């Protein structure tokens, strides 16, 4: 007994002065009763309620205000029952054909260093609408442009006279792969020179610099380098030394991937690049898959139905592919088919990313269509309407697709989600270089 009292005193001293228990009213009803009982306490109770309200209220920011408008616009389009949700393929085709018919408008000079991207976005969008829409003349002109940028056959810059760049090389190889070796263009690609250049931009930490001596190092560079190397069959151990650890270190506490190791914010674009790179390396099992699945799932909004690219940011049609494509890769490698709601994603694409007046696909209502969004929104539609599996997990070209049950079809072409190219086209290209 004496021992217990001593122990209680010791604990009391350790914890400090004993405090009175204070009960706080946390719901509105007792507050109203208190008000009737004791008017002197009005001010105290007012303060209590105010404090509780502040704690429970979401902070208003520019983004929450912008999102309220976006939700409003999306909900009115999503609930317009008289409009059928269908892909306006012929309409979008006009927009894409236009790229071959006229000089692009002056505001597009901002894309001067992204010329191979325009080739890829336009050609791939046409091929996704229907492979028949890509004519021999289009292929010829794309090959002509790519080899005008790099008469040596690679690596490629963003335009004539520009330094070779990883993103431009990736986009050029993607565009050329869709040209089906017409005019023997695949044989003009200089694999050896591309390989040596890839080694020259490789960093000790496993990343790749986008351009020799200058340029940024992040998961985009890794994805561009590994896509090109795997497609051309020049992927060696030397090229990917330390790259697996680099990518593992890019997965953060949220479960998605930042652009660089140990970054604090995960982003859909960088996450896709990391996950597709891991798929190419046959190393998806080396990351925390359950956390990645959670992160992807929480990027789809209930109200707008589409994906955002970062926690608490706005929905954007291009994440239909950056996040939807990540989900499709996870599905192909057997990590689950219910990470996203496919029918809702399809509704966002068809009702919110298309306009009745302007052809092409867009980020969200109120934005203008552009070639970038046209490509990635269509790619998003493809990963929504097909289900994916892989025959050999060490060979990303062995991914196959079949129509997804319970999701209507827009007759879009099935893509390989690792490469964002039609499955058969990318497989033929890789076979050519085997
Ligand atoms: C192959 C390759 C090079 C892929 C690139 C992938 C990538 C990083 C895509 C992100 C593109 C994008 C819409 C960024 C917007 O950031 P933001 O801050 O304007 O928009 P947010 O608010 O949606 O994050
Ligand atoms: Zn976008």
């Amino acid at each position: 007994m004496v021992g217990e009292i001593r122990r209680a005193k010791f604990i009391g001293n350790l914890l400090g002065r004993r405090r009175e228990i204070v009960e706080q009213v946390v719901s509105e009803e007792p507050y109203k009763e208190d008000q009737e009982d004791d008017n002197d306490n009005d001010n105290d109770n007012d303060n209590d309620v105010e404090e509780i309200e502040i704690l429970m209220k979401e902070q208003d920011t520019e983004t929450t205000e912008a999102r309220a408008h976006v939700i409003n616009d999306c909900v009115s389009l999503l609930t317009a029952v008289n409009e059928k949700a269908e892909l306006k393929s012929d309409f979008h085709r006009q927009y894409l054909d236009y790229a071959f018919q006229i000089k692009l408008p002056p505001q597009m000079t901002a894309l001067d260093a992204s010329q191979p991207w325009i080739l890829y976005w336009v050609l791939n969008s046409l091929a996704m609408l229907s492979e028949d829409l890509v004519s021999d003349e289009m292929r010829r002109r794309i090959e002509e442009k790519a080899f005008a940028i790099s008469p040596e056959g690679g690596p490629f810059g963003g335009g004539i006279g520009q330094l070779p760049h990883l993103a431009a090389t990736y986009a050029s190889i993607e565009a050329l792969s869709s040209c089906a070796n017409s005019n023997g263009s695949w044989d003009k690609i200089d694999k050896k020179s591309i390989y040596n250049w890839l080694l020259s931009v490789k960093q000790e930490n496993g990343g790749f610099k986008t351009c020799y001596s200058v340029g940024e190092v992040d998961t985009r560079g890794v994805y561009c380098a590994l896509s090109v190397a795997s497609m051309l069959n020049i992927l060696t151990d030397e090229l990917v030394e330390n790259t697996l650890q680099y990518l593992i270190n890019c997965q953060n506490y949220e479960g998605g991937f930042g652009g660089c190791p140990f970054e604090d914010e995960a982003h859909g674009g960088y996450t896709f690049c990391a996950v597709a790179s891991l798929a190419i390396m046959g190393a998806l099992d080396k990351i925390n898959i359950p956390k990645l699945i959670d992160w992807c799932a929480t990027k789809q909004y209930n109200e707008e139905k589409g994906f955002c690219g970062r926690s608490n940011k706005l929905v954007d049609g291009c994440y239909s592919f950056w996040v939807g494509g990540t989900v499709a890769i996870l599905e192909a490698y057997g990590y689950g088919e219910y990470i996203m709601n496919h029918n809702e994603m399809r509704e966002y694409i068809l009702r919110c990313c298309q306009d009745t007046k302007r052809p092409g696909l867009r980020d969200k209502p109120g934005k203008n269509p552009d070639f970038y969004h046209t490509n990635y929104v269509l790619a998003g539609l493809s990963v929504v309407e097909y289900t994916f599996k892989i025959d050999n997990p060490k060979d990303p070209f062995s991914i196959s697709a079949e129509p997804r049950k319970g999701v209507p079809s827009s007759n879009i072409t099935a893509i390989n989600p690792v490469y964002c190219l039609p499955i058969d086209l990318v497989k033929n290209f890789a076979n050519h270089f085997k």
Side-chain angles (χ1 to χ4, degrees), residues 316 318 363 372-373:
D316 178 340
C318 63
D363 158 347
Y372 162 85
H373 283 95

Side-chain angles (χ1 to χ4, degrees), residues 136-153:
D136 287 345
E137 174 60 5
M138 286 174 186
R139 291 192 183 103
R140 190 197 59 74
R141 287 178 57 186
I142 283 180
E143 290 159 345
E144 184 180 72
K145 178 78 187 178
F147 292 111
I149 289 174
S150 178
E152 309 79 22

Side-chain angles (χ1 to χ4, degrees), residues 117 167 170 220-221 223-224 267-270 272-273 308-310 313-314 316 318-319 322 372-373 376:
W117 278 115
Y170 163 82
R220 291 171 303 174
Y223 171 65
C224 290
H267 189 283
Y270 297 106
F272 169 81
C273 289
C308 63
R310 295 192 261 169
K313 297 237 39 198
L314 300 181
D316 178 340
C318 63
Y319 299 123
W322 298 125
Y372 162 85
H373 283 95
Y376 291 110

Side-chain angles (χ1 to χ4, degrees), residues 180-377:
N181 203 18
S182 64
N183 310 300
S185 64
W186 292 356
D187 301 316
K188 293 185 203 148
I189 297 172
D190 188 342
K191 281 171 49 162
K192 194 155 184 4
S193 148
I194 293 178
Y195 181 72
N196 289 334
W197 176 76
L198 287 176
L199 279 182
S200 78
V201 291
K202 176 76 196 297
Q203 304 297 296
E204 242 174 62
N205 69 356
F208 288 82
K209 196 169 257 194
T210 48
C211 207
Y212 183 70
S213 102
V214 287
E216 57 272 37
V217 183
D218 55 49
T219 65
R220 291 171 303 174
V222 175
Y223 171 65
C224 290
L226 267 56
S227 293
V228 167
S230 59
M231 287 167 77
L232 295 175
N233 197 19
I234 50 173
L235 190 61
T236 61
D237 289 346
E238 185 189 20
L239 194 64
V240 293
E241 199 182 342
N242 297 331
T243 302
L244 177 57
Q245 196 55 48
Y246 180 92
L247 293 170
I248 289 172
N249 291 344
C250 291
Q251 186 173 26
N252 78 356
Y253 73 97
E254 292 181 273
F257 289 69
C260 304
F262 312 114
E263 253 191 6
D264 55 0
E265 191 178 33
H267 189 283
Y270 297 106
T271 297
F272 169 81
C273 289
V275 171
S277 301
L278 287 159
I280 293 171
M281 294 178 74
L284 272 173
D285 58 336
K286 300 290 183 290
I287 53 164
N288 188 333
I289 294 283
K291 283 216 75 166
L292 173 62
I293 290 176
D294 278 357
W295 182 82
C296 291
T298 55
K299 296 292 115 5
Q300 188 169 21
Y301 280 131
N302 279 333
E303 295 84 347
E304 304 90 315
K305 303 190 189 300
F307 280 106
C308 63
R310 295 192 261 169
S311 301
N312 298 321
K313 297 237 39 198
L314 300 181
V315 69
D316 178 340
C318 63
Y319 299 123
S320 315
F321 180 74
W322 298 125
V323 184
T326 303
V327 170
I329 295 172
L330 291 173
E331 180 183 60
Y333 285 76
Y335 290 113
E337 52 191 297
Y338 301 110
I339 303 168
M340 64 191 271
N341 184 324
H342 299 90
N343 272 314
E344 299 223 327
M345 181 73 252
R346 187 174 181 274
E347 287 283 300
Y348 178 73
I349 290 175
L350 297 177
R351 293 191 187 275
C352 300
C353 297
Q354 300 190 108
D355 185 13
T356 43
K357 293 181 201 73
R358 298 188 63 170
L361 292 116
R362 63 188 177 187
D363 158 347
K364 59 173 75 59
K367 296 272 182 174
N368 291 331
D370 57 62
F371 295 135
Y372 162 85
H373 283 95
T374 301
N375 182 52
Y376 291 110
V377 173

